[in-house]
Amino acid sequence: SLTIAIADITRVWPLDRVTSTLSELADTAITLAWRHALHLQTSNGNLPTVGGDDILDGSGLICLGMGKLGAYELNYSSDIDLIVFFDNELPLYRDVEELQKHFVTMTRLVVRMLEERTSDGYVFRTDLRLRPDASAMPLAISTATAEIYYESQGQNWERAALIKARPIGSDNQAAREFLARIRP
C-alpha cells in the first residue's frame, strides 16, 4: 500500500495503474486468506482435498469480487465487495455433512483476516451484502441455490452487479462454469 501511495502522490503512476494495483493487492490478500482457510478446513478433516499444486483447484470455492474490485477500480477508501458460493454438486463433497457450515466458517475467517484491526492496521474492509437476499441467506451459498435465486427472484440491480464480477481466490474452473451458467 505504501509503495502504491508513493507512486500515486509523486504522480509516477497514472490513476488507472494505482486503482488496478490496489485491486491486485486485494486479489493477493483474498487468495492467500482463502488458501489458509481451506487448508485449516482440510487439515481438520472437515473437508476433503483434491490434492494438487493449489488447494483452491477442485475445491468448488467461488469467491466473486464485485463492484470496484471486480472492475480493477479500487481506491484507498474502497471496501471490497465479495460474494461467496460453493459447488455443492462436486463428487468430492458427496459425503460431507454440513457443507454449507464449513464454507460459512471459512468465509468468516477470511473476512476476519482481512479486516481485523491490529497494531499494524488492517488489510481491507470487506462487505458481503451483495450476495443474494443478504438479510436471509448465509454468508456462503451453494451454486444451485444461487442459480435458482437469480433466475426466479433476483432483482435487476443484483443481476447487473454481476457484470463486473470476477473470481478471486477461487476454484477457477468451478467459477468459470458457474458464471457461464448464470450469464443468461
Side-chain angles (χ1 to χ4, degrees), residues 65-170:
M66 307 294 289
K68 291 177 187 169
L69 175 61
Y72 289 99
E73 297 171 344
L74 275 188
N75 61 54
Y76 297 109
S77 63
S78 297
D79 57 359
I80 54 174
D81 294 307
L82 303 174
I83 301 179
V84 180
F85 304 108
F86 57 92
D87 187 347
N88 59 311
E89 297 180 15
L90 287 177
L92 175 71
Y93 296 133
R94 185 168 305 149
D95 298 323
V96 176
E97 292 185 29
E98 301 181 331
L99 182 60
Q100 185 166 39
K101 175 185 153 192
H102 299 306
F103 276 91
V104 167
T105 297
M106 286 191 297
T107 303
R108 284 191 179 117
L109 176 60
V110 166
V111 169
R112 190 172 78 237
M113 286 190 290
L114 293 172
E115 66 181 19
E116 184 174 50
R117 292 185 184 272
T118 69
S119 59
D120 297 318
Y122 64 96
V123 183
F124 285 98
R125 288 184 326 276
T126 308
D127 189 345
L128 300 171
R129 293 176 295 175
L130 289 180
R131 70 186 184 278
D133 199 3
S135 63
M137 294 271 197
L139 297 179
I141 61 175
S142 72
T143 53
T145 300
E147 287 177 54
I148 291 168
Y149 176 83
Y150 286 123
E151 287 175 8
S152 63
Q153 49 190 309
Q155 302 295 313
N156 287 338
W157 71 266
E158 291 173 302
R159 292 183 187 113
L162 290 168
I163 292 170
K164 291 183 180 182
R166 64 182 176 85
I168 302 170
S170 298

Side-chain angles (χ1 to χ4, degrees), residues 36-49 55 102 105-106 109:
H36 178 71
L38 195 53
H39 174 73
L40 289 178
Q41 288 294 315
T42 57
S43 63
N44 290 340
N46 294 330
L47 295 175
T49 184
I55 196 166
H102 299 306
T105 297
M106 286 191 297
L109 176 60

